[in-house]
Amino acid sequence: MERNKGKTRKSIILVLILLTLSVCILSYLSYNKYIKYNNILKDNKELNTKISTLKKEYEEEEKIKSNLQEEENSLNNKEKEIVKLKEEVFSLASNLEEKITNNESNYKIAYITFDDGPYHSTDEVLDILDKYKVKATFFTIGLDKDICYDNNNYSCAETYKKEVDRGHTIANHTYTHAIFRGLYNSTTSFINDVKRQEKLIEERTGYKTNIVRFPGGSSTAGNLKNSITNELKNMGYGWVDWTANDGDGGYVPNTTVAWTNFTNSINENIEVVLFHDYSKITISILPKAIEYLQENNYIILPLFYNSIKVNK
Ligand SMILES: [Zn+2]
């Protein structure tokens, strides 16, 4: 009896140990699961936060994109409006030229042109023109303009676009302007130089110009003039010389001489005035020159392909 009792007690203790062990193992397993579950919940929360941040950023980007698109559309519309306005102005200018030629108008026209630029001083010219709400024509070249060679710290690369954006006519004065270094060797050498400048203007401004001025004037082309002008015509270009100037392309000692040169040269009803945007002397008399032309009934306009002053 005593032995049986002992056995039963042992069995109960064993069962109790086993039970306790099972409870411990189960508790341990459950606890582990709980920890894992909690971690997953935490990860999930972080993921949700990240997703919502990302969503917000994406929505903001979409908003910026759509605003940019709207701005681009409105700019495109403005550009189209400007092109249309320019066409209207040029058509009116054509009519006025005809009336002036037939002595049917009291008004006269002055086409102010600037050669050989852009220079770092072109900004000053642009500001003066803006101040007087006057549009001009820039016969640009390309060589060395990345360093704007009278001021090595200043690049003129952006100036082409400024000229167009501010409503002026941009025109082609050849890329190299190398009058004594091969430009006038042959028709091909001249035309290639024109094409090179055409490409530069197009790259810098998105605009294709159709007016050329011969470096030194068309007479500098000598015997080649006819063949060059024919080729220019085939390419859709007109060309223009000038009828007035202040002598700033040569030697002008001071503003007094420049002013006298300028006023003495103004005597036709339709004038093409030659200036250079590198000339400090011209820049200093430019406001007075604009006022002088306006007081003498000249309407100052930018050149356009159909002008009678543009030879075709
Ligand atoms: Zn020139």
Side-chain angles (χ1 to χ4, degrees):
M1 276 295 275
E2 274 303 310
R3 205 188 290 162
N4 275 349
K5 255 188 190 172
K7 261 187 185 175
T8 313
R9 204 179 294 143
K10 267 183 193 169
S11 299
I12 289 169
I13 288 169
L14 199 70
V15 167
L16 277 175
I17 288 171
L18 279 174
L19 264 173
T20 314
L21 255 175
S22 304
V23 167
C24 281
I25 289 169
L26 276 173
S27 301
Y28 175 74
L29 286 175
S30 302
Y31 177 72
N32 256 4
K33 252 189 189 173
Y34 170 76
I35 294 288
K36 257 189 200 164
Y37 178 69
N38 249 0
N39 280 345
I40 287 171
L41 270 186
K42 207 177 131 206
D43 283 352
N44 221 0
K45 211 176 155 194
E46 273 174 18
L47 202 71
N48 279 339
T49 316
K50 270 185 190 159
I51 287 173
S52 81
T53 314
L54 214 69
K55 216 176 135 192
K56 238 186 218 166
E57 276 174 14
Y58 175 77
E59 278 168 1
E60 261 163 35
E61 255 176 42
E62 283 295 294
K63 215 171 142 189
I64 290 168
K65 230 166 95 183
S66 100
N67 283 347
L68 277 176
Q69 188 62 47
E70 259 174 46
E71 270 173 35
E72 200 188 321
N73 288 346
S74 110
L75 268 178
N76 280 342
N77 286 341
K78 271 187 191 148
E79 260 172 39
K80 273 181 201 157
E81 271 173 39
I82 288 170
V83 169
K84 219 180 125 196
L85 270 174
K86 267 190 175 176
E87 276 167 14
E88 281 172 21
V89 168
F90 292 156
S91 149
L92 285 170
S94 256
N95 293 342
L96 185 60
E97 279 183 338
E98 211 182 308
K99 281 192 175 164
I100 292 170
T101 314
N102 298 331
N103 285 325
E104 291 165 1
S105 171
N106 291 327
Y107 283 109
K108 294 176 264 185
I109 296 177
Y111 296 107
I112 297 181
T113 67
F114 294 92
D115 280 16
D116 301 1
Y119 279 80
H120 71 283
S121 48
T122 305
D123 281 336
E124 218 178 315
V125 171
L126 287 170
D127 288 345
I128 295 169
L129 296 174
D130 271 1
K131 195 183 152 204
Y132 283 90
K133 295 190 170 65
V134 156
K135 306 294 177 205
T137 305
F138 290 88
F139 285 92
T140 61
I141 66 168
L143 192 68
D144 290 341
K145 292 308 177 189
D146 279 336
I147 54 164
C148 218
Y149 50 90
D150 48 353
N151 181 347
N152 289 345
N153 297 319
Y154 190 96
S155 166
C156 291
E158 303 299 318
T159 314
Y160 300 91
K161 181 110 175 57
K162 281 188 212 166
E163 290 168 354
V164 173
D165 286 350
R166 284 156 89 161
H168 306 289
T169 296
I170 194 162
N172 193 322
H173 197 39
T174 76
Y175 182 85
T176 64
H177 200 283
I179 299 177
F180 305 109
R181 286 174 289 115
L183 177 66
Y184 290 113
N185 275 0
S186 66
T187 301
T188 312
S189 63
F190 185 91
I191 294 298
N192 284 345
D193 224 313
V194 167
K195 282 182 182 163
R196 205 169 162 196
Q197 183 59 8
E198 173 183 290
K199 193 169 165 252
L200 181 136
I201 292 172
E202 227 173 335
E203 278 170 7
R204 298 272 160 89
T205 69
Y207 178 81
K208 192 180 175 301
T209 174
N210 51 11
I211 304 172
V212 165
R213 174 173 281 156
F214 290 76
S218 61
S219 58
T220 319
N223 292 337
L224 294 173
K225 184 174 166 180
N226 272 348
S227 117
I228 290 174
T229 52
N230 278 339
E231 196 51 42
L232 285 175
K233 195 176 169 183
N234 291 339
M235 289 161 68
Y237 273 100
W239 57 274
V240 61
D241 281 329
W242 58 91
T243 57
N245 66 83
D246 67 350
D248 66 357
Y251 173 67
V252 191
N254 53 51
T255 50
T256 315
V257 174
W259 182 252
T260 311
N261 287 344
F262 170 70
T263 49
N264 283 346
S265 71
I266 302 294
N267 42 46
E268 292 183 16
N269 287 339
I270 304 177
E271 292 281 13
V272 179
V273 184
L274 167 68
F275 287 142
H276 292 84
D277 33 345
Y278 58 69
S279 169
K280 291 281 174 201
I281 284 182
T282 287
I283 291 171
S284 71
I285 65 162
L286 185 57
K288 220 166 93 177
I290 292 169
E291 286 166 20
Y292 178 85
L293 289 168
Q294 288 175 336
E295 280 159 14
N296 283 283
N297 252 4
Y298 281 93
I299 296 174
I300 300 166
L301 291 170
L303 273 168
F304 54 100
Y305 181 78
N306 288 323
S307 163
I308 53 167
K309 287 291 173 186
V310 178
N311 301 283
K312 267 95 51 182

